Amino acid sequence: MAETADAPLLTSHKKAKLAKAPSIDDTIETYIGATGSMQLLKAVLLAFAWAFDAQQVFISVFTDAEPEWHCTGASASCSPAAPPASPCALPSGAWAWDRPAETTVVSEWALKCAGPALVSLPASSFFAGCLAGGFLLTTLADSLLGRKKMLLTSLVSMSVAGVLTAFAPNVWAYAALRFVSGFGRSMVGTCTLVLSTELVGKRWRDTVSVAGFIFFTVGFLSLPALGYTFREASWRNMYLWTSVPSLCYSVLLYFLAQESPRWLLVRGRKQDAMETLQQIASLNGNSITSSFSMLHACNMQEDDGGAGAAGGVFSTMRAMWERPWALRRLAAIMTTGFGVGMVYYGMPLNVGSLGTNLYLSVTYNALAELPSAILSLIFIGRINRRSSVVALTVAAGAFSLACVVIPEGSAARMAAELLSFFSTITAFNLILIYSIELFPTSVRNSAVGLVRQALVLGGVVAPMLVALGRERSFWSFGVFGLCIGCLGLFAACLPETRGRSMSDTMEEEEHKEAAAAACTGATDIATKDDSDLV
């Protein structure tokens, strides 16, 4: 009799306990309240790291540019009225650079006739460094270091390498330092994007994400201004004027930025999470006077299943590797990202093939990022991620292929290039936001880092294609168009995430996956997964 009476009480108690277990999202929103202006300002300041990231990514457009040259009239083989296509076969005194030799590395180290492999080596080395750093460092932000320490480490190493690059004695040292700069830079954008979105409430996540894209545009736009300012001076000035401010910004960030309370909770660091939540709440004009019982309950729930809570540096990679749904998502979005990255990093390097003014062409490309960021801010809450990525990549591919058949130097070719780049930028921004929503907190930084490395891998290939495309545009614009147009179709394999709340653990995401499967008729599979998880 007593047992019969007790049984339903125990069952109901268990159900009540499960029902009351709060998510990290709910916990953070409860304790910090609505995001205030000061906290939002700090998140936006954090997003400014994207500006320095952009400068290091595209600085080679000016420092590694191939300058114009002219015949001196000292030799009959080189007539100023009808100069040959290339000066490589001319005697040394028959031609000269239009500007001082130290304005670019190509003229200072006589790389013009050295072949496309050596000319593209520094840019490819930078992207190779980004790739290596991304694969080796991406899990540290989810495991040992956290978002803030990883961001500061990346910024400082990128900046120091940039300062040293200004003193490179030859192309080999220059390429090596560009590799180091890329290695350090590899985590700047990822940590900035993840940390800034995890420091604000749900309402402002999309805003701070797009703020990073806007600052990336600011950094990109600063390069034509710097390049024009130092057009008659050494290319080394470009590295000094971009790297020293980045170092100063790192010091400022050390004192002002906070660690992600989400990451602290998933890692089981309750005391640090409480202190961070208190700081954020005070910035928002609130004070936490109640106990942290809700946080304790949330943390216990995460410790039971959080992939990032234990298991070493590569536990997050293993957590994704062991789950087929995570692997499918990662493979699909990385494949799409490779095609997008090839065009995104390749198009600015290829503006010299358009036959127009270099400074204006780069400025137009940089300005194309601004409406993309603004449109992303306006429509990010309203557009479907999956269909938008597919449509944008197909459009980018079509416009890039159009550049192959449009005559060089025409306004139509410039317009087609800008439309292709604009579509690519928007797809790039959307892919980064999409990847944040596809993966839970416990593996988010690692997943976003891998997606960014797929984007960068496209950047590794792009400089060689650009060098080949100077002779035949199909190898640049044609290959760009085919790759982004075809690989972008892989995004159709991804689930739609618009309007969904962000998960914190792999188990929570699996619950959502099971619920989605049930909606499409896979009721038996969903039931089995739910029973295993409960």
Side-chain angles (χ1 to χ4, degrees), residues 362-375:
V362 176
T363 301
Y364 292 153
N365 277 267
L367 286 173
E369 297 224 16
L370 192 58
S372 172
I374 294 172
L375 287 174

Side-chain angles (χ1 to χ4, degrees), residues 45 76 151 164 196 231 252 355 373 405-406 418 420 423 481 494 513 532:
L45 175 65
L151 174 58
L164 295 176
S196 60
R231 64 189 182 280
L252 180 67
V405 296
I406 299 174
L418 285 174
S420 177
S423 301
L494 295 167
E513 185 82 357
D532 291 339

Side-chain angles (χ1 to χ4, degrees), residues 352-356 403-411 413 469-471 473:
S353 301
L354 294 171
T356 55
C403 293
V404 177
V405 296
I406 299 174
E408 182 178 328
S410 65
R413 196 181 202 198
R470 287 170 182 166
E471 302 296 329
S473 60

Side-chain angles (χ1 to χ4, degrees), residues 368-437:
E369 297 224 16
L370 192 58
S372 172
I374 294 172
L375 287 174
S376 298
L377 178 61
I378 295 173
F379 294 110
I380 193 63
R382 307 175 190 175
I383 60 174
N384 290 337
R385 279 58 166 144
R386 179 172 54 193
S387 56
S388 297
V389 169
V390 172
L392 288 166
T393 51
V394 170
F399 286 119
S400 184
L401 287 171
C403 293
V404 177
V405 296
I406 299 174
E408 182 178 328
S410 65
R413 196 181 202 198
M414 186 71 213
E417 189 271 345
L418 285 174
L419 287 170
S420 177
F421 191 57
F422 174 79
S423 301
T424 303
I425 295 165
T426 311
F428 186 101
N429 296 345
L430 193 54
I431 281 175
L432 291 178
I433 295 174
Y434 201 2
S435 59
I436 287 178
E437 297 171 346

Side-chain angles (χ1 to χ4, degrees), residues 211-244:
F213 304 150
I214 293 174
F215 286 131
F216 192 90
T217 304
V218 171
F220 195 178
L221 274 172
S222 70
L223 290 175
L226 285 172
Y228 188 78
T229 301
F230 297 119
R231 64 189 182 280
E232 300 295 331
S234 173
W235 57 269
R236 302 172 191 273
N237 288 287
M238 294 281 288
Y239 282 100
L240 288 175
W241 280 84
T242 54
S243 301
V244 173

Side-chain angles (χ1 to χ4, degrees), residues 278-419:
Q278 288 275 18
Q279 293 171 9
I280 296 175
S282 63
L283 282 173
N284 293 338
N286 304 318
S287 60
I288 302 176
T289 56
S290 60
S291 68
F292 281 92
S293 57
M294 186 177 178
L295 184 145
H296 290 304
C298 171
N299 194 51
M300 289 173 61
Q301 181 188 15
E302 300 307 321
D303 282 347
D304 291 338
V313 175
F314 295 102
S315 60
T316 55
M317 303 293 287
R318 188 165 55 251
M320 290 186 286
W321 183 264
E322 292 172 349
R323 290 166 171 84
W325 63 266
L327 269 182
R328 285 194 299 270
R329 293 183 186 184
L330 199 59
I333 198 166
M334 286 181 69
T335 303
T336 300
F338 174 79
V340 171
M342 184 183 295
V343 181
Y344 181 77
Y345 294 116
M347 278 292 187
L349 298 176
N350 201 37
V351 292
S353 301
L354 294 171
T356 55
N357 182 279
L358 177 64
Y359 301 102
L360 288 177
S361 298
V362 176
T363 301
Y364 292 153
N365 277 267
L367 286 173
E369 297 224 16
L370 192 58
S372 172
I374 294 172
L375 287 174
S376 298
L377 178 61
I378 295 173
F379 294 110
I380 193 63
R382 307 175 190 175
I383 60 174
N384 290 337
R385 279 58 166 144
R386 179 172 54 193
S387 56
S388 297
V389 169
V390 172
L392 288 166
T393 51
V394 170
F399 286 119
S400 184
L401 287 171
C403 293
V404 177
V405 296
I406 299 174
E408 182 178 328
S410 65
R413 196 181 202 198
M414 186 71 213
E417 189 271 345
L418 285 174
L419 287 170

